[in-house]
Amino acid sequence: MMSRHAAFVLLLAFGAVFQLSCGIEVNVTKEDKLCLYANLMLNFSVSYEVADNKNQTAVFELPANATADGSACDNTTSMLKLDFEGHSWSMTFTTDGKNYQAAIVTFSYNLSDSKLFPNSVSNETKTVIVKPQMKDVGIDTCYSCHSKDTIEADSVNMTLWNVLIQAFVINGSKSENLTICEADTPMTTVAPTTAPRPTSTTPAPTLPTPTTGKYSYKPDENSTACLLANFGLRIGVKQGDKLEEMNFEPNGTQISGSCGLNSSELKLVSSSITIEFTFTNDTKKFRLHALNVTGKTSSGLMFTEANNNMSLWEATLGSSYMCNKEQNFTIASLVTIYTFNVQVQPFGVKKGLFSTAHECSLDDTSILIPIIVGAALAGLILIVVIAYVIGRRKTYVGYQTL
Ligand SMILES: *[C@@H]1O[C@H](CO)[C@@H](O)[C@H](O)[C@H]1NC(C)=O
Ligand SMILES: *[C@@H]1O[C@H](CO)[C@@H](O)[C@H](O)[C@H]1NC(C)=O
Ligand SMILES: *[C@@H]1O[C@H](CO)[C@@H](O)[C@H](O)[C@H]1NC(C)=O
Ligand SMILES: *[C@@H]1O[C@H](CO)[C@@H](O)[C@H](O)[C@H]1NC(C)=O
Ligand SMILES: *[C@@H]1O[C@H](CO)[C@@H](O)[C@H](O)[C@H]1NC(C)=O
Ligand SMILES: *[C@@H]1O[C@H](CO)[C@@H](O)[C@H](O)[C@H]1NC(C)=O
Ligand SMILES: *[C@@H]1O[C@H](CO)[C@@H](O)[C@H](O)[C@H]1NC(C)=O
Ligand SMILES: *[C@@H]1O[C@H](CO)[C@@H](O)[C@H](O)[C@H]1NC(C)=O
Ligand SMILES: *[C@@H]1O[C@H](CO)[C@@H](O)[C@H](O)[C@H]1NC(C)=O
Ligand SMILES: *[C@@H]1O[C@H](CO)[C@@H](O)[C@H](O)[C@H]1NC(C)=O
Ligand SMILES: *[C@@H]1O[C@H](CO)[C@@H](O)[C@H](O)[C@H]1NC(C)=O
Ligand SMILES: *[C@@H]1O[C@H](CO)[C@@H](O)[C@H](O)[C@H]1NC(C)=O
């Protein structure tokens, strides 16, 4: 145990030398005493709009001459704030006295900076806010992570590596004890951390199958429903390489929507999630064409993602779409929906009841596959037999002419 600890300290010494050559090192002081120490490397990848509705991606590094004047320490919160050329990146930490964690990362970038964002259509300053993964770091330890950790936000990816941070320095001197991030720890060995190890190695408990909600929309109280939808819904939100999942609770959900000839909508609002389904009618079939999910996970991460170019839940107009199997769909990059026991009919609902159901192919592929394979094999045998018969005939004819 002791020698292993030494090895990690050595590694840190090496890392520090390496980092000094090209990362950024920050000493934040309060009353002339060190209160926050940070040494890290940071890359940005920002997608922004240029002419013709196109997006371009700018990739740049945090410049070494960024300033940390906006950083501050308090008893229970501290902030590392790095400003460069009118842009600013900050990480806020909180502590309960025993451990500390990174609470939020904020990145504000000014699209009028034509050096970083050439040909940007917008000249606004945009701000993204995300919750990073650093947590359960022992109070008198430095958080150390050499591995790359990408924090994904709307249109922005921030990659941190060679990170060494002590967000709450005690008595003005940086601790030599480390809390090593999981990505740096080999799977088979247990790192000698002084803080409790993050619990994320144990897989999140699997959620029960979500309750199937029965939603119907009627344009006014005296008419029958014009849109019917039954399904159980789970939402998964990716945070770095972790996935946070939650079941949508149908009880207490507010339902609104619209029924049109070419487009129908269903909007569900629960206490933590708002989801909007847009269905379209393309004369013969209907399909789920757009989805917009906005919400907050139990850990407080706000998310929103939309996609308006989908083709899910497709069935002939006048029928309903049904799928009992679990299905999943990733809306853009971070938010995935899982659906269970689906039956929907967004157009042509009669007497408030579902019409005949068109079953999803998922439900019967297990039967279809052997049938297809069998048919293919039968076809192959037939071809061989025919080829053989033709071959025989040809030879026979050949002999005759000789
Ligand atoms: C931060 O403080 C350490 C220890 O006092 C010192 O070696 C280092 O040069 C300082 N770094 C900066 C950027 O001021
Ligand atoms: C961020 O990373 C994800 C996953 O690697 C990628 O799909 C996305 O395009 C990236 N976004 C930007 C702005 O680089
Ligand atoms: C450009 O990015 C915006 C916002 O991220 C997105 O809504 C839009 O679909 C993107 N456009 C293209 C052409 O990728
Ligand atoms: C920081 O460095 C960049 C070049 O890397 C330079 O253009 C910029 O003026 C510098 N900013 C400050 C505040 O020194
Ligand atoms: C912070 O802690 C110091 C010493 O423990 C105490 O004197 C001070 O009142 C605290 N400040 C706040 C805002 O709690
Ligand atoms: C920013 O863009 C708006 C509209 O595109 C324009 O009216 C305004 O003058 C621009 N501001 C600057 C500082 O370029
Ligand atoms: C490291 O942690 C151990 C156990 O918590 C403690 O005894 C020791 O003083 C710490 N060392 C430093 C340099 O902070
Ligand atoms: C619904 O019907 C009731 C009784 O027939 C009537 O009083 C009410 O105005 C109707 N509401 C609407 C929105 O038509
Ligand atoms: C739905 O919520 C209400 C109050 O919020 C509660 O009384 C009721 O039992 C709940 N029903 C189910 C099926 O959970
Ligand atoms: C679907 O659209 C077609 C033409 O756009 C229209 O004739 C038809 O009535 C629509 N079907 C339903 C069920 O609204
Ligand atoms: C998605 O919904 C949110 C909240 O309802 C809204 O602010 C946002 O504009 C919607 N996005 C799209 C692409 O419809
Ligand atoms: C999503 O569904 C596909 C089959 O359509 C399945 O292979 C995959 O494992 C599912 N993904 C998740 C995360 O459940």
Side-chain angles (χ1 to χ4, degrees):
M1 194 71 188
M2 203 54 220
S3 64
R4 220 190 253 169
H5 187 135
F8 273 92
V9 173
L10 258 175
L11 199 86
L12 151 72
F14 176 79
V17 171
F18 177 68
Q19 284 164 32
L20 283 178
S21 61
C22 43
I24 187 160
E25 188 184 39
V26 175
N27 293 329
V28 180
T29 56
K30 184 179 159 194
E31 289 149 9
D32 290 333
K33 267 164 117 183
L34 184 70
C35 66
L36 184 154
Y37 174 84
N39 194 336
L40 53 88
M41 299 188 77
L42 175 55
N43 252 356
F44 298 94
S45 170
V46 179
S47 163
Y48 64 99
E49 205 182 326
V50 292
D52 302 330
N53 267 334
K54 285 196 176 121
N55 287 343
Q56 192 161 311
T57 304
V59 175
F60 52 94
E61 238 179 277
L62 176 77
N65 63 3
T67 59
D69 300 339
S71 305
C73 302
D74 198 344
N75 286 2
T76 54
T77 60
S78 64
M79 178 168 74
L80 169 67
K81 185 162 184 285
L82 302 169
D83 296 300
F84 58 101
E85 336 257 326
H87 315 287
S88 106
W89 182 86
S90 72
M91 198 171 210
T92 305
F93 305 91
T94 57
T95 180
D96 57 4
K98 220 172 95 220
N99 293 315
Y100 65 89
Q101 61 184 350
I104 50 174
V105 162
T106 308
F107 177 47
S108 290
Y109 53 103
N110 187 344
L111 288 170
S112 68
D113 179 344
S114 58
K115 236 166 43 187
L116 289 184
F117 308 109
N119 309 320
S120 168
V121 170
S122 161
N123 56 11
E124 287 170 75
T125 295
K126 297 217 171 194
T127 301
V128 292
I129 298 175
V130 265
K131 190 172 160 57
Q133 284 191 59
M134 187 197 303
K135 60 175 188 179
D136 295 329
V137 187
I139 189 73
D140 195 17
T141 67
C142 281
Y143 171 82
S144 167
C145 200
H146 295 277
S147 305
K148 289 200 172 184
D149 175 21
T150 300
I151 306 172
E152 289 180 24
D154 220 21
S155 308
V156 179
N157 288 349
M158 296 166 265
T159 305
L160 285 158
W161 73 105
N162 284 350
V163 173
L164 185 65
I165 289 179
Q166 186 175 5
F168 297 93
V169 175
I170 293 166
N171 288 333
S173 59
K174 186 167 82 81
S175 172
E176 295 303 324
N177 284 343
L178 299 181
T179 295
I180 290 155
C181 69
E182 215 167 298
D184 282 1
T185 341
M187 284 303 196
T188 47
T189 62
V190 174
T193 52
T194 52
R197 300 229 327 124
T199 49
S200 52
T201 40
T202 55
T206 38
L207 291 172
T209 305
T211 317
T212 304
K214 299 198 166 158
Y215 311 103
S216 65
Y217 170 73
K218 41 177 132 174
D220 63 73
E221 53 177 317
N222 291 341
S223 54
T224 57
C226 60
L227 187 157
L228 298 171
N230 295 353
F231 51 80
L233 176 66
R234 176 178 300 153
I235 289 174
V237 182
K238 213 167 85 183
Q239 250 180 293
D241 53 10
K242 272 189 219 155
L243 185 73
E244 195 169 338
E245 294 187 324
M246 61 204 135
N247 282 344
F248 187 84
E249 178 52 58
N251 195 7
T253 296
Q254 282 176 32
I255 303 165
S256 56
S258 67
C259 292
L261 218 56
N262 297 320
S263 169
S264 289
E265 265 172 47
L266 175 69
K267 185 173 179 180
L268 304 176
V269 182
S270 79
S271 55
S272 54
I273 297 164
T274 297
I275 184 163
E276 228 177 298
F277 299 82
T278 307
F279 298 90
T280 53
N281 157 15
D282 67 3
T283 72
K284 288 204 176 73
K285 287 183 161 188
F286 69 81
R287 61 202 166 97
L288 175 58
H289 177 65
L291 253 183
N292 179 357
V293 189
T294 304
K296 199 171 158 185
T297 66
S298 50
S299 71
L301 176 78
M302 312 274 279
F303 61 87
T304 178
E305 242 177 32
N307 185 327
N308 56 11
N309 193 17
M310 309 165 43
S311 288
L312 285 183
W313 297 354
E314 208 173 271
T316 318
L317 277 162
S319 66
S320 63
Y321 172 87
M322 187 164 159
C323 197
N324 289 321
K325 290 238 164 130
E326 175 180 341
Q327 289 175 299
N328 64 62
F329 182 77
T330 300
I331 296 173
S333 57
L334 301 179
V335 183
T336 302
I337 61 161
Y338 302 86
T339 56
F340 305 79
N341 303 318
V342 174
Q343 185 166 16
V344 291
Q345 187 167 350
F347 298 100
V349 174
K350 299 210 174 74
K351 296 179 191 155
L353 298 169
F354 280 114
S355 307
T356 7
H358 169 92
E359 286 255 6
C360 63
S361 51
L362 264 182
D363 283 353
D364 45 36
T365 40
S366 50
I367 311 162
L368 262 182
I369 288 169
I371 292 174
I372 292 168
V373 170
L377 271 178
L380 202 68
I381 290 168
L382 202 70
I383 289 166
V384 168
V385 168
I386 290 170
Y388 176 76
V389 168
I390 292 174
R392 279 283 300 239
R393 276 222 186 126
K394 277 220 172 117
T395 352
Y396 183 69
V397 170
Y399 273 120
Q400 234 184 10
T401 49
L402 258 175

